[in-house]
């Protein structure tokens, strides 16, 4: 009997539906010549979920995700919902989903495609060959720390980490490094913050279990600078929630377009796979969004959630091939384009290559 994987699909807001449709096209194509079958169930989340149900993360969506083998997620948010109270905003739906499902480990790989080195705002020799992974802690730190408040004449949040929280994300980073270049750079602000000193001490302890991995520490301000000065010095960057949020946006620009980079959030009941870019409401519905980040996230899903390495490799190779052949969506059309294509065309071309592979 063939294997069956159940995917909870959350298209979300803005360009979410367009890019998810293309990712589904591609995974459907890869499933045809495989020994597994895929089934999808769609769930609401974000601004559209709020419009329909009054809640950016309806209970039904949580249930649906829990019952799935993986979650494929588009993007959420937009100016339409910016003025809502915090707990009704699309972003709070996403934060709640991460936390509810226990998705503490956020993989944000940054790989520069050779064909697109020119697309980066940094010099080609600086970015060519970059291959790093930001391992961001995703369910703790200042995003979730208590107490928190916005009062009349003051407001505060708390950056809090428990030992167990730091240990488990550190293990994740060291394990990932073992499959890569065996280097971990832990990023903190230990010269100022107690929580960072605690983070650093804990990471040093965990590192003893991974004698083959070289551990280094960097302050966040220096790391932000080093990332644009010489990104090739990094293999795995291990860091907390808010530092990882900032560094991963910065790192994404090394690759030339934020429309290229995937992510995986794992560690809990069921993993969530999403592009690192947002919902881009300004270009929604125009068919110009780059679906590659989402297609690449679907590949991570096949690899991480289902262990379907071969299928994931097929997708990764197809993405490299279309870029080599000069197909470009509008965001990267200034760099080596032989043919500028729409969101849908890009999805179809990748799907076709995958089905022939
Ligand atoms: C991200 C986003 C989210 C975050 C927002 C939308 C809550 O910026 O996934 O990086 O800050 O984590
Ligand atoms: Mn972010």
């Amino acid at each position: 009997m063939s294997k069956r994987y159940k995917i909870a699909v959350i298209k979300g807001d803005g360009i979410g539906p367009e890019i998810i449709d293309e990712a589904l096209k591609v995974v459907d194509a890869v499933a045809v010549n495989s020994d597994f079958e895929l089934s999808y169930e769609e769930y609401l989340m974000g601004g559209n979920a709020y419009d329909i149900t009054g809640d950016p993360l309806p209970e039904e969506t949580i249930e649906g995700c829990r019952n799935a083998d993986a979650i494929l997620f588009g993007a959420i948010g937009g100016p339409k919902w910016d003025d809502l109270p915090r707990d009704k905003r699309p972003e709070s739906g996403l934060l709640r989903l991460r936390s509810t499902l226990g998705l503490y480990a956020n993989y944000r790989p940054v790989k520069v495609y050779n064909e697109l080195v020119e697309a980066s705002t940094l010099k080609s020799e600086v970015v060519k060959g970059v291959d790093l992974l930001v391992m961001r802690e995703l369910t703790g730190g200042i995003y979730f720390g208590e107490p928190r408040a916005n009062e009349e004449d003051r407001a505060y949040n708390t950056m809090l980490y428990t030992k167990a929280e730091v240990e488990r994300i550190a293990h994740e980073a060291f394990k990932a490094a073992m499959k890569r270049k065996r280097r971990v750079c832990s990023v903190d602000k230990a010269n100022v913050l107690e929580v960072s000193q605690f983070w650093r001490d804990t990471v040093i302890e965990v590192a003893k279990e991974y004698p083959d991995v070289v551990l280094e520490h960097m302050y966040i301000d220096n790391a932000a600078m080093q990332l644009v000065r010489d990104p090739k010095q990094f293999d795995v960057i291990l860091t907390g929630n808010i530092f990882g949020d900032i560094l991963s946006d910065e790192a994404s620009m090394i690759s030339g377009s934020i429309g290229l980079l995937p992510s995986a959030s794992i560690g809990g009941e069921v993993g969530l796979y999403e592009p690192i870019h947002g919902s881009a409401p300004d270009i929604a519905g125009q068919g110009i969004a780059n679906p590659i980040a989402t297609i690449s996230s679907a590949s991570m899903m096949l690899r991480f959630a289902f262990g379907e390495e071969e299928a994931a490799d097929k997708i990764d190779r197809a993405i490299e091939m279309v870029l080599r052949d000069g197909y470009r969506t509008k965001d990267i059309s200034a760099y080596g384009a032989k043919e500028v294509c729409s969101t849908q065309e890009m999805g179809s071309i990748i799907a076709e290559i995958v089905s022939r592979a």
Side-chain angles (χ1 to χ4, degrees):
M1 221 188 85
S2 98
K3 297 169 275 183
R4 289 189 69 99
Y5 305 120
K6 199 153 89 182
I7 303 171
V9 175
I10 298 176
K11 295 187 175 181
D13 308 318
I15 57 170
E18 300 162 63
I19 52 176
I20 286 285
D21 284 345
E22 298 319 304
L24 296 182
K25 224 186 240 179
V26 174
V27 287
D28 273 338
V30 86
V32 171
N33 292 316
S34 74
D35 61 352
F36 60 84
E37 280 171 43
L38 302 171
S39 66
Y40 312 111
E41 300 235 12
E42 249 188 74
Y43 295 97
L44 295 176
M45 197 185 137
N48 66 89
Y50 171 79
D51 288 345
I52 296 167
T53 70
D55 184 350
L57 180 63
E59 197 53 43
E60 200 189 326
T61 299
I62 301 177
E63 273 316 298
C65 289
R66 281 206 164 117
N67 292 323
D69 299 310
I71 308 163
L72 189 62
F73 185 91
I76 50 147
K80 185 178 170 197
W81 304 284
D82 275 352
D83 296 329
L84 290 172
R86 186 160 303 279
D87 65 321
K88 299 287 181 202
R89 287 178 58 131
E91 292 83 352
S92 87
L94 180 57
L95 294 174
R96 219 169 355 118
L97 187 65
R98 288 173 179 167
S99 162
T100 307
L101 298 177
L103 306 174
Y104 65 86
N106 186 210
Y107 283 68
R108 295 191 167 183
V110 177
K111 210 169 177 167
V112 173
Y113 294 102
N114 274 337
E115 293 70 21
L116 292 175
V117 285
E118 299 292 329
S120 176
T121 51
L122 300 180
K123 291 198 186 100
S124 304
E125 65 261 32
V126 174
V127 302
K128 192 157 192 254
V130 164
D131 179 3
L132 61 85
L133 169 67
V134 178
M135 180 70 75
R136 170 187 177 195
E137 199 290 328
L138 201 59
T139 53
I142 198 164
Y143 272 55
F144 294 94
E146 298 284 349
R148 58 194 295 155
N150 186 352
E151 298 168 352
E152 196 149 278
D153 54 2
R154 60 176 199 164
Y156 50 88
N157 291 87
T158 307
M159 197 189 274
L160 187 149
Y161 271 113
T162 65
K163 190 142 189 169
E165 282 174 332
V166 182
E167 281 170 352
R168 63 185 182 179
I169 192 70
H171 278 294
E172 197 72 34
F174 285 111
K175 282 189 187 131
M178 288 294 288
K179 296 189 198 154
R180 300 172 49 97
K181 286 172 258 164
R182 303 190 169 188
R183 294 203 327 262
V184 170
C185 177
S186 175
V187 172
D188 61 40
K189 189 72 185 172
N191 51 344
V192 177
L193 305 175
E194 281 79 3
V195 62
S196 277
Q197 187 61 55
F198 178 83
W199 172 283
R200 189 176 283 218
D201 296 342
T202 308
V203 171
I204 290 171
E205 248 173 64
V206 172
K208 291 182 188 144
E209 293 177 46
Y210 303 88
D212 295 337
V213 179
V214 177
L215 171 66
E216 172 192 16
H217 304 273
M218 220 181 255
Y219 297 135
I220 174 68
D221 48 351
N222 185 28
M225 186 265 278
Q226 294 296 339
L227 206 46
V228 287
R229 193 187 71 83
D230 175 23
K232 271 178 262 187
Q233 70 184 285
F234 295 107
D235 180 24
V236 176
I237 296 177
L238 161 64
T239 192
N241 207 340
I242 197 161
F243 297 157
D245 180 44
I246 299 164
L247 282 188
S248 60
D249 260 38
E250 187 189 355
S252 76
M253 262 300 111
I254 296 168
S255 77
S257 171
I258 198 164
L260 296 168
L261 299 178
S263 80
S265 304
I266 63 170
E269 301 167 43
V270 49
L272 183 149
Y273 301 83
E274 62 172 320
I276 81 157
H277 60 71
S279 61
D282 51 321
I283 59 162
Q286 295 177 31
I288 57 173
N290 189 343
I292 289 182
T294 314
I295 294 169
S296 185
S297 303
S299 158
M300 283 187 95
M301 172 182 77
L302 291 168
R303 201 182 294 283
F304 281 45
F306 311 149
E308 298 292 349
E309 299 280 338
E310 199 184 315
D313 287 344
K314 277 188 194 173
I315 294 177
D316 293 350
R317 277 199 302 269
I319 294 172
E320 273 165 33
M321 213 179 283
V322 291
L323 293 175
R324 204 173 323 131
D325 291 347
Y327 293 101
R328 302 280 187 273
T329 41
K330 201 171 160 222
D331 53 320
I332 47 174
S333 62
Y335 309 97
K338 293 208 184 78
E339 195 171 324
V340 178
C341 49
S342 67
T343 310
Q344 291 71 25
E345 284 160 349
M346 183 58 99
S348 299
I349 297 161
I350 296 175
E352 211 214 291
I353 297 176
V354 154
S355 62
R356 277 192 274 117

